[in-house]
Amino acid sequence: MANAGRKHLELEALRDKRAVIILAVVALGLATPVVARLTFPGWVGASALAQVRLLMRLGGLFVLAGAYPAVLVLVRLGLTDVSVYQHRALLRLYPVFCNFFQVLVALDGFLLVVWPERFALPSLWADLLLSVAGVGLLPAVLHHQSWLAGFDPHGVLSARSALGDARPLPSTRTPLDTLDYRVLQLVAHSGSDVAAVMINDMAIGTRDLNLRLRKLVALGYLDVVDERHGPQLTLTSMGTDTLALPVSLFTWQTNDLELLQELALARLALEERQAQKVVVACARCCERLLRGLLAAHEPPVTSVGNKEVGRATLGELVGACRQYRLIGRFEDNIFSALNERRKKIHALQDERPIDDQDAFILYTLTEIAARALLTQAPRAEAQPVAAGEGGQGEPAGS
């Protein structure tokens, strides 16, 4: 048990140049009491207000440049045991205290200029040096606080360099799971704030989170940019497209990227309250699912009635799958209900046109149908369909 805590040590983090800067600031902050004692003969003759100024500045630097970040360094290196909640609270409060101290430093400088006879130290250079230290040391820590949160941009980017120049293979299934999806959501909701990403409520652990960030950066879902306020995590277009998909999709087994794209278009159209587009995209998804079932049949079904499978309507595809017993009663009822709802896109003169409620019902039924088929045996897995399957434009009527 005596060595149980050693596995949490992360002394490798000291090799980061951000650690060197922070440790240098912490050393200077912790040295302020010694500096005050050694320079005592130089300021003992100053006015009482000047001495209060000096002690408040040195005390603030001791706490905010020395003691406080020293605790964060110990947590970062694993030399102390705190909860995630405590770590989060320490990281969130530190910028608040620093900003408050910077305001006091600004007011102190104002008083020094307005009334130097009462507030100035005997040495002008000591005043200037103290002002520079008060203004410069804290921002040096804040600028590199991503290291305190445990985020290593070089380690994350190294996952991408390990893949070389290779891009994600377009023919493979999306290699994400539900936790990867939640990490993407966390990055999106945090506004790329690294501290908010690393100190989170997902309960997956910092090490696992780092591994998933490396995975997402390597595969092109996230990117790391170095902005003027430090490294930031950003979503790529692939990441934003992924967030348009339902999270349950990442438990499905499908290689049909066009199906995933149609589901994403339907989800985005639903969020934008474009009911007609929802209907069109959902109908395409259902037609593609059913054509995949017919193509997976042995022997493959190439025609429905007098039509090729690629030109059959949704109603005809449902009838064909029912005929070959490729769908059960549950799926049959869902697709039939989808087909009836879809017909409302061609509303007659006195008929109520399709609205947001219809679009929501249609999208929900589509997701249920897709999940029902894509979680079945491999024979029910949607396969890419031959050219001419009517993937563009509005689906044909039944």
Side-chain angles (χ1 to χ4, degrees):
M1 293 299 293
N3 297 328
R6 292 186 179 180
K7 62 182 180 180
H8 299 294
L9 297 181
E10 296 182 12
L11 299 181
E12 290 293 326
L14 292 175
R15 296 183 179 182
D16 195 314
K17 65 178 182 180
R18 296 172 298 170
V20 176
I21 296 175
I22 292 178
L23 290 177
V25 173
V26 169
L28 290 175
L30 294 177
T32 51
V34 178
V35 172
R37 188 68 185 91
L38 293 177
T39 59
F40 177 77
W43 55 267
V44 67
S47 65
L49 289 177
Q51 293 182 15
V52 170
R53 278 185 56 245
L54 174 66
L55 295 178
M56 288 185 63
R57 282 199 176 191
L58 291 177
L61 289 176
F62 174 76
V63 173
L64 297 179
Y68 201 126
V71 175
L72 294 175
V73 169
L74 293 177
V75 176
R76 176 68 179 89
L77 299 179
L79 297 174
T80 185
D81 189 13
V82 298
S83 65
V84 174
Y85 173 80
Q86 292 170 328
H87 193 189
R88 185 186 306 113
L90 288 171
L91 286 172
R92 287 179 176 175
L93 289 176
Y94 184 65
V96 177
F97 292 151
C98 289
N99 291 334
F100 180 72
F101 180 72
Q102 294 286 65
V103 171
L104 294 181
V105 170
L107 291 176
D108 176 74
F110 173 79
L111 295 175
L112 178 61
V113 173
V114 172
W115 201 351
E117 295 81 5
R118 295 293 303 273
F119 293 95
L121 292 173
S123 172
L124 174 63
W125 293 106
D127 255 333
L128 291 177
L129 181 61
L130 195 58
S131 298
V132 171
V135 172
L137 291 182
L138 301 186
V141 178
L142 293 176
H143 182 69
H144 300 290
Q145 60 183 321
S146 59
W147 181 83
L148 296 172
F151 177 72
D152 183 4
H154 301 292
V156 174
L157 289 174
S158 66
R160 175 176 294 175
S161 62
L163 293 179
D165 296 330
R167 299 175 62 84
L169 297 178
S171 60
T172 58
R173 175 176 179 259
T174 303
L176 305 185
D177 56 23
T178 52
L179 280 180
D180 294 321
Y181 185 90
R182 296 302 184 192
V183 172
L184 288 175
Q185 284 185 322
L186 178 63
V187 174
H189 294 161
S190 67
S192 298
D193 183 359
V194 170
V197 174
M198 300 304 299
I199 307 298
N200 60 85
D201 294 316
M202 292 183 60
I204 66 174
T206 302
R207 289 168 180 78
D208 195 15
L209 178 59
N210 264 307
L211 290 176
R212 293 184 180 277
L213 289 176
R214 294 184 182 187
K215 171 183 176 181
L216 292 169
V217 169
L219 295 179
Y221 293 88
L222 292 176
D223 199 2
V224 179
V225 296
D226 191 8
E227 298 185 356
R228 59 183 179 180
H229 44 274
Q232 298 291 299
L233 283 166
T234 59
L235 288 167
T236 64
S237 58
M238 188 186 301
T240 55
D241 292 344
T242 301
L243 289 178
L245 298 170
V247 64
S248 58
L249 180 143
F250 296 96
T251 64
W252 304 347
Q253 301 292 327
T254 179
N255 294 322
D256 194 344
L257 297 183
E258 291 189 26
L259 175 64
L260 303 183
Q261 183 180 8
E262 292 292 353
L263 281 170
L265 291 176
R267 179 66 174 263
L268 289 174
L270 182 65
E271 293 178 355
E272 296 171 358
R273 304 187 66 179
Q274 300 182 18
Q276 299 284 347
K277 289 186 178 181
V278 175
V279 175
V280 172
C282 288
R284 288 175 184 165
C285 291
C286 296
E287 291 173 357
R288 192 169 186 84
L289 286 167
L290 295 174
R291 290 190 183 107
L293 290 179
L294 294 173
H297 183 264
E298 292 295 340
V301 179
T302 58
S303 62
V304 176
N306 297 326
K307 296 181 180 180
E308 296 180 358
V309 171
R311 297 183 177 275
T313 64
L314 179 57
E316 292 168 343
L317 292 171
V318 173
C321 289
R322 185 188 305 125
Q323 175 185 351
Y324 289 99
R325 297 183 179 179
L326 298 177
I327 56 177
R329 181 178 298 178
F330 175 73
E331 294 86 359
D332 191 351
N333 291 335
I334 291 179
F335 282 117
S336 298
L338 282 165
N339 190 38
E340 290 300 319
R341 288 275 177 176
R342 183 192 59 79
K343 293 178 182 178
K344 295 184 66 176
I345 196 174
H346 306 290
L348 301 178
Q349 183 175 1
D350 297 330
E351 187 178 6
R352 181 175 63 87
I354 193 166
D355 55 16
D356 292 341
Q357 183 177 3
D358 293 319
F360 175 77
I361 294 175
L362 201 65
Y363 174 80
T364 304
L365 290 175
T366 301
E367 188 175 337
I368 293 173
R371 182 173 179 81
L373 294 183
L374 297 178
T375 54
Q376 289 180 358
R379 68 175 183 84
E381 183 173 323
Q383 303 291 336
V385 185
E389 65 170 291
Q392 302 296 329
E394 182 179 318
S398 57

